[in-house]
């Protein structure tokens, strides 16, 4: 078995529809510039509110990817 090292970064995804869509947006966007994504962990959920109405869902996501030398 080969040994590997993984790097973890934190992202914030947003969506006007749901927290799930916000998380998917963060991962899909990260996959455009990062290779070999492994795990995405949701660490925080919140909402942007305006005049008592939810305007956007926000998700803080920790994403890991294989670290290359």
């Amino acid at each position: 078995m080969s040994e590997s090292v993984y790097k973890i970064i934190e992202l914030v995804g947003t969506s006007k529809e749901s927290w799930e869509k916000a998380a998917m947006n963060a991962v899909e966007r990260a996959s455009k510039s990062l290779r070999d994504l492994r795990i995405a962990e949701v660490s925080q959920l919140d909402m942007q509110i305006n005049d008592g109405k939810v305007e956007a869902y926000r998700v803080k996501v920790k994403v890991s990817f294989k670290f290359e030398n």
Side-chain angles (χ1 to χ4, degrees), residues 12-66:
V12 176
T14 63
S15 169
K16 294 191 179 281
E17 297 173 28
S18 68
W19 282 306
E20 183 179 88
K21 182 72 174 165
M24 288 190 317
N25 289 341
V27 171
E28 287 173 2
R29 177 60 184 91
S31 71
K32 291 180 180 179
S33 60
L34 300 173
R35 290 181 303 193
D36 217 0
L37 295 179
R38 296 299 177 136
I39 301 289
E41 174 188 348
V42 173
S43 62
Q44 185 176 346
L45 304 172
D46 62 35
M47 294 179 277
Q48 182 180 356
I49 300 171
N50 188 12
D51 291 330
K53 295 183 181 178
V54 175
E55 284 198 343
Y57 297 87
R58 297 178 355 141
V59 178
K60 192 177 287 186
V61 182
K62 293 180 181 178
V63 178
S64 69
F65 57 95
K66 196 169 186 177

